[in-house]
Amino acid sequence: MTAILEVKGLRVSFRQDGKETEAVKGVSFAVGRGETVALVGESGSGKSVSALSTVSLLGDSATVTGSVLYNGEEMVGADEKHLMKLRGNDISFIFQEPMTSLNPLHTIEKQLSESLALHQGLVGQAARDRILELLIKVGIRDPETRLGAYPHELSGGQRQRVMIAMALANKPEILIADEPTTALDVTIQAQILELLAELKESEGMGLLFITHDLAIVRRIADRVCVMKDGEIVESGPAEDIFANPQHPYTQKLLAAEPSGQPAAVPEGAEELVRTSDLKVWFPIQKGLLKRTVGHVKAVNPTSISVRAGETLGIVGESGSGKTTLALAIMRLIASEGEVRFRGDDLRQWSTRDLRRLRKDMQIVFQDPFGSLSPRMTCAQIISEGLAIHKVDQHRNTRELVAEVMLEVGLDPAAMDRYPHEFSGGQRQRIAIARAMVLRPRLVVLDEPTSALDMTVQVQIVDLLRDLQTRYGLAYLFISHDLNVVRAMSHKMIVMKQGDVVEAGEADALFENPREEYTRQLLAATR
């Protein structure tokens, strides 16, 4: 097979504060027409840097040596004007988070038309016809109604489809997809992977797919290059890599899948949370007088029960009401129906009483970098709740912080560092420590592992199970990753468009789902 893109002995180093750090160390790979090559590895392995260096997108602090040939033409050191013609035209990118890649101030039509005008000179009706054709091709329903929409008005899956349409607008020969499905629901993820495979075949493109998720690689790749610390440690046909991995790091990645089960709930465990017909409807108001003309039915009447030491897994696609349900239970948003915590009806509690309750009900968010203040040290972040809730005032705060850091697997010597100085897995441990230092009874875990590498996911799942057993914690575990849910949950509810469509023991739901929607979710992960 003739290579469209050929990388030979690629080296990339970055200069910062007078120091030179080598991020990519002599990497070589090739992508042929109609072929999918996966670059696989954990955060910091050099995957994205290798891809961005193909068309010099790394900035002035980077030094790139070696060779990058596109159709036999050298890209390293090429003229900037020539590279600008190739970017987005012959070589296109799809990035991980479409919300940050799309301009929030421009409509979908304007963003797509910009690329067509720049590279093909298409304007007016010709451009609009091409945009509609692209949106239909990537599976956007009723594309005419979406042309005037802004990115925030689309779902995560729709935004990613728009990004794919932009990448395909100029019929590229090479498409580089950098973690394009990480933040998506499993069903949407399956649709995007299927779409990319179809487009690769129909358009005859080469596809360079960057990911840390080997389950995706197994489904989409022809060849695999496994990266670690800036080097390719193993490469070959995907079938061979999965059937007979040679390098210990590849074996470690393949084995890194959350497994096992949570410890059994102690007999006679106290019921911590109970809801009866809990409902969250947001009013739709129109007109000068703001009359209510309808409702967004985020959560329809829902009843659940969670005991000490028990995990309730909450699964469903984006917009199904998972997080809204958890926030209503914690009384962070208004709701109707009964919410009881340790037998007390929270509807009767004043705002002051609820403040006292907060230390017993904590939350860990999906994105630790977004939920941790960049201006506070690790010690300040973890200890903030202690001061607010006046917990253990007789003890030295730094001693308490050191204790909880050891509990979650962090070195107390790092307590004076800032969030940007930690890895993604370490930041999530800080977020968990911030919640655990208050010794809560209930913890809401909102997609706590979805942005993490597979090996780190396993570590966080083991940590959460250990803390639950040690302190009798109740968890509400929200996730679209069903493998993680199975490893964490005793019971499970499946939500769709605000309704609980299925509920029961986690093992029973995985082994014998009754509802078609649950079967679809399970099928999308296999």
Side-chain angles (χ1 to χ4, degrees), residues 312-314 322-323 326 444-448 476-480 485:
L312 174 67
I314 307 175
K322 306 186 298 292
T323 301
V444 172
L445 300 158
D446 193 355
E447 299 273 13
L476 295 180
F477 191 86
I478 300 166
S479 183
H480 66 258
V485 171

Side-chain angles (χ1 to χ4, degrees), residues 226-424:
V226 182
M227 290 193 72
K228 182 179 189 292
D229 299 331
E231 298 178 288
I232 291 177
V233 296
E234 186 168 358
S235 64
E239 289 180 8
D240 296 348
I241 296 289
F242 282 97
N244 188 25
Q246 299 297 307
H247 196 278
Y249 180 68
T250 311
Q251 294 165 2
K252 178 186 169 187
L253 285 181
L254 287 169
E257 186 171 289
S259 59
Q261 292 182 311
V265 180
E267 201 168 324
E270 177 190 9
E271 182 182 66
L272 288 179
V273 177
R274 171 176 289 277
T275 72
S276 298
D277 295 329
L278 179 65
K279 184 175 85 170
V280 183
W281 285 12
F282 297 110
I284 301 170
Q285 297 175 322
K286 287 187 176 179
L288 189 64
L289 300 176
K290 297 291 181 186
R291 289 195 177 123
T292 299
V293 295
H295 289 87
V296 174
K297 298 177 181 180
V299 178
N300 290 317
T302 298
S303 300
I304 65 163
S305 167
V306 190
R307 294 175 291 164
E310 186 172 54
T311 300
L312 174 67
I314 307 175
V315 303
E317 296 176 295
S318 296
S320 61
K322 306 186 298 292
T323 301
T324 304
L325 173 62
L327 294 177
I329 289 170
M330 295 186 78
R331 288 292 307 272
L332 291 172
I333 56 173
S335 62
E336 296 178 35
E338 190 176 72
V339 181
R340 289 188 176 272
F341 183 75
R342 304 187 74 185
D344 291 325
D345 187 350
L346 297 190
R347 291 177 299 178
Q348 312 301 322
W349 285 43
S350 67
T351 303
R352 179 176 289 183
D353 291 333
L354 282 171
R355 280 205 197 104
R356 284 193 290 108
L357 183 68
R358 293 292 174 220
K359 76 178 185 66
D360 292 327
M361 303 170 76
Q362 289 291 299
I363 188 164
V364 177
F365 295 99
Q366 176 175 357
D367 177 15
F369 200 62
S371 66
L372 303 178
S373 171
R375 295 190 176 95
M376 295 171 74
T377 65
C378 172
Q380 289 170 333
I381 289 167
I382 293 171
S383 64
E384 186 179 22
L386 294 172
I388 291 169
H389 292 288
K390 299 180 173 57
V391 175
D392 281 331
Q393 289 183 294
H394 64 283
R395 289 194 58 191
N396 182 287
T397 300
R398 289 180 73 85
E399 280 181 17
L400 283 168
V401 169
E403 266 180 34
V404 78
M405 285 182 75
L406 283 171
E407 260 181 15
V408 301
L410 289 169
D411 184 355
M415 70 168 67
D416 293 316
R417 293 184 190 171
Y418 290 86
H420 72 272
E421 297 178 271
F422 293 91
S423 69

Side-chain angles (χ1 to χ4, degrees), residues 28 64 69 98 105 115 137 141 149 159 189 193 228 253 264 282 329 356 425 485 492:
S28 300
V64 181
L69 298 175
L105 301 177
S115 176
K137 187 177 282 188
R141 294 176 190 169
R159 287 195 291 265
Q189 186 181 91
L193 292 176
K228 182 179 189 292
L253 285 181
F282 297 110
I329 289 170
R356 284 193 290 108
V485 171
M492 194 167 105

Side-chain angles (χ1 to χ4, degrees), residues 32 92 95 132 204-205 223 263 270 277 297 326 354 418 440 454 464-465 468 478 506:
S92 275
F95 295 102
L132 291 173
M205 299 181 303
R223 286 191 297 113
E270 177 190 9
D277 295 329
K297 298 177 181 180
L354 282 171
Y418 290 86
M454 301 302 285
L464 290 170
R465 288 193 301 212
Q468 181 173 54
I478 300 166

Side-chain angles (χ1 to χ4, degrees), residues 15-319:
R15 294 181 307 281
Q16 188 174 17
D17 299 329
K19 293 180 181 178
E20 190 118 342
T21 305
E22 195 170 25
V24 177
K25 307 165 185 176
V27 161
S28 300
F29 62 88
V31 184
R33 195 175 302 281
E35 180 184 41
T36 299
V37 175
L39 280 184
V40 185
E42 296 177 291
S43 299
S45 61
K47 310 183 301 292
S48 297
V49 172
S50 298
L52 291 169
S53 65
T54 57
V55 283
S56 299
L57 285 174
L58 293 175
D60 295 336
S61 65
T63 301
V64 181
T65 59
S67 175
V68 178
L69 298 175
Y70 167 66
N71 282 333
E73 185 180 356
E74 184 60 64
M75 296 288 100
V76 176
D79 179 67
E80 182 64 22
K81 279 188 179 179
H82 181 60
L83 288 171
M84 285 176 70
K85 285 182 183 177
L86 293 177
R87 295 172 191 150
N89 193 23
D90 298 282
I91 303 174
S92 275
F93 280 81
I94 306 170
F95 295 102
Q96 179 173 354
E97 180 43 72
M99 196 61 187
T100 56
S101 302
L102 295 171
N103 190 323
L105 301 177
H106 292 168
T107 64
I108 299 309
E109 181 176 17
K110 184 169 183 179
Q111 297 190 58
L112 279 160
S113 61
E114 185 179 19
S115 176
L116 293 171
L118 183 66
H119 291 288
Q120 294 184 35
L122 282 181
V123 293
Q125 190 59 44
R128 174 171 276 231
D129 291 343
R130 175 65 176 150
I131 290 167
L132 291 173
E133 179 192 333
L134 286 164
L135 293 178
I136 291 168
K137 187 177 282 188
V138 299
I140 297 284
R141 294 176 190 169
D142 303 320
E144 293 90 347
T145 64
R146 294 298 184 180
L147 293 178
Y150 291 87
H152 72 273
E153 297 178 291
L154 305 178
S155 70
Q158 288 171 328
R159 287 195 291 265
Q160 196 60 288
R161 287 170 188 270
V162 170
M163 279 295 299
I164 294 171
M166 289 176 72
L168 296 174
N170 300 299
K171 299 183 177 177
E173 288 198 275
I174 287 282
L175 181 60
I176 299 174
D178 190 357
E179 299 273 15
T181 61
T182 298
L184 303 179
D185 298 320
V186 285
T187 49
I188 303 297
Q189 186 181 91
Q191 292 168 20
I192 295 295
L193 292 176
E194 192 177 320
L195 172 64
L196 287 172
E198 287 173 4
L199 292 170
K200 182 195 72 170
E201 293 295 327
S202 62
E203 306 290 327
M205 299 181 303
L207 177 59
L208 181 61
F209 197 95
I210 299 163
T211 185
H212 66 261
D213 190 338
L214 285 165
I216 291 174
V217 174
R218 192 191 291 267
R219 292 165 66 177
I220 199 170
D222 300 306
R223 286 191 297 113
V224 180
C225 299
V226 182
M227 290 193 72
K228 182 179 189 292
D229 299 331
E231 298 178 288
I232 291 177
V233 296
E234 186 168 358
S235 64
E239 289 180 8
D240 296 348
I241 296 289
F242 282 97
N244 188 25
Q246 299 297 307
H247 196 278
Y249 180 68
T250 311
Q251 294 165 2
K252 178 186 169 187
L253 285 181
L254 287 169
E257 186 171 289
S259 59
Q261 292 182 311
V265 180
E267 201 168 324
E270 177 190 9
E271 182 182 66
L272 288 179
V273 177
R274 171 176 289 277
T275 72
S276 298
D277 295 329
L278 179 65
K279 184 175 85 170
V280 183
W281 285 12
F282 297 110
I284 301 170
Q285 297 175 322
K286 287 187 176 179
L288 189 64
L289 300 176
K290 297 291 181 186
R291 289 195 177 123
T292 299
V293 295
H295 289 87
V296 174
K297 298 177 181 180
V299 178
N300 290 317
T302 298
S303 300
I304 65 163
S305 167
V306 190
R307 294 175 291 164
E310 186 172 54
T311 300
L312 174 67
I314 307 175
V315 303
E317 296 176 295
S318 296

